[in-house]
Amino acid sequence: MNLVSVLDWEWSRVVPLQFFKPPLWLTNTTIEDMSYGYQYRNYLELFDEFLAMIRARERERYGNELLADEWNKRKQKSGFMIAHTLENWTAMDWFANRSINLRIYGGKEDLPRRIRDFIRGDPTHTALIKRKVTGWASYSAELKLLGGVSQPL
Amino acid sequence: MKSANDYSAMLLPIADNAFARGRGTVSELEEGEDQLYHLHMFRHHAEEWIDRNLDHGPFVLVHGDLEISIFSWTMT
């Protein structure tokens, strides 16, 4: 196969180095599932093969291994997923739920207590959530009036 | 914007804002508390991840939507 062109540049932009990440679809795993540490490790196995190709090509064309070294460092601790998630806020809940709970807290056994302490620690948290729930009710009523179907994210 | 730190710092309030103002996303208190806590947890994790030494670059041109369907091939 010969690569002829790369299409659809409408999202192209200049980003800080940490947000320059390799394709996350190498293992054909959804982003939601990549939030699981074991799926990310699975991805890295294939990524390392990809990285070896990049390293060889870089050496051959530019006489250095800048990108390969950079990505080899940035892949640690789900680094590519954090970059992706920061730019896609709806993934934050998945990532925190599936990866950080396990990595930092060893699981979810104490999760209800952590949530309770967090909510109690700042009264504005409860106020915000109450507003969200009230908003949901008025949103649903409005949607029903318009004949739509509610599909909360 | 010339600061990588500013760029990263901007993304977190965008998420907070989207959560706070999004309609029809939280129907029960418990569900909302869970989501808010996990957003908060991610923020802490992300702030540790940000490499402050890269504030002034390098900056990189990215495609932004590099899915497999955007490649055009010929078979040889």
Side-chain angles (χ1 to χ4, degrees):
Chain A
M1 287 197 295
N2 281 326
L3 179 61
V4 179
S5 63
V6 177
L7 311 170
D8 292 343
W9 287 81
E10 74 270 26
W11 295 105
S12 63
R13 61 196 189 278
V14 173
V15 295
L17 183 60
Q18 278 189 290
F19 292 88
F20 181 43
K21 56 190 189 301
L24 295 176
W25 38 259
L26 295 178
T27 43
N28 205 22
T29 307
T30 63
I31 286 294
E32 290 88 340
D33 282 348
M34 285 271 280
S35 296
Y36 288 117
Y38 77 95
Q39 291 279 19
Y40 186 78
R41 283 191 293 278
N42 195 27
Y43 166 82
L44 287 187
E45 280 182 29
L46 200 60
F47 170 76
D48 283 340
E49 288 180 37
F50 178 61
L51 195 65
M53 291 178 210
I54 291 178
R55 190 177 293 285
R57 182 62 71 91
E58 259 193 305
R59 206 182 300 137
E60 180 189 309
R61 295 189 80 168
Y62 307 110
N64 64 50
E65 298 170 21
L66 268 180
L67 179 60
D69 286 344
E70 186 64 31
W71 274 355
N72 195 43
K73 191 167 65 181
R74 299 290 170 198
K75 71 181 182 183
Q76 312 287 338
K77 296 183 177 175
S78 293
F80 299 144
M81 284 299 293
I82 300 175
H84 170 85
T85 303
L86 263 169
E87 290 188 324
N88 298 272
W89 81 273
T90 52
M92 289 179 186
D93 192 56
W94 292 107
F95 185 77
N97 246 303
R98 295 179 165 181
S99 181
I100 306 177
N101 270 325
L102 194 64
R103 184 188 292 275
I104 307 292
Y105 299 99
K108 290 188 175 185
E109 276 171 26
D110 62 339
L111 181 61
R113 184 191 53 78
R114 283 188 273 129
I115 294 178
R116 199 176 57 237
D117 291 349
F118 167 73
I119 295 295
R120 283 180 184 170
D122 185 342
T124 64
H125 291 150
T126 304
L128 169 61
I129 302 300
K130 282 185 176 163
R131 202 171 73 235
K132 292 281 295 174
V133 175
T134 314
W136 186 87
S138 65
Y139 173 82
S140 302
E142 196 179 325
L143 198 66
K144 200 175 169 187
L145 206 66
L146 296 168
V149 181
S150 182
Q151 287 182 314
L153 287 173
Chain B
M1 186 182 288
K2 293 177 183 171
S3 157
N5 291 346
D6 284 354
Y7 178 78
S8 304
M10 174 187 77
L11 298 171
L12 290 164
I14 286 177
D16 289 344
N17 188 57
F19 176 75
R21 299 189 186 209
R23 299 183 70 200
T25 57
V26 172
S27 61
E28 288 173 17
L29 277 178
E30 199 175 319
E31 179 193 355
E33 289 174 354
D34 187 287
Q35 285 186 23
L36 186 62
Y37 172 71
H38 282 101
L39 270 183
H40 170 82
M41 191 202 266
F42 179 79
R43 169 190 282 273
H44 270 272
H45 202 69
E47 280 171 349
E48 281 175 23
W49 170 84
I50 295 165
D51 187 343
R52 314 278 167 193
N53 296 319
L54 295 173
D55 190 33
H56 300 295
F59 298 95
V60 187
L61 175 66
V62 295
H63 179 279
D65 191 23
L66 200 74
E67 296 298 326
I68 203 140
S69 59
I70 58 95
F71 295 105
S72 177
W73 308 91
T74 54
M75 304 301 281
T76 50

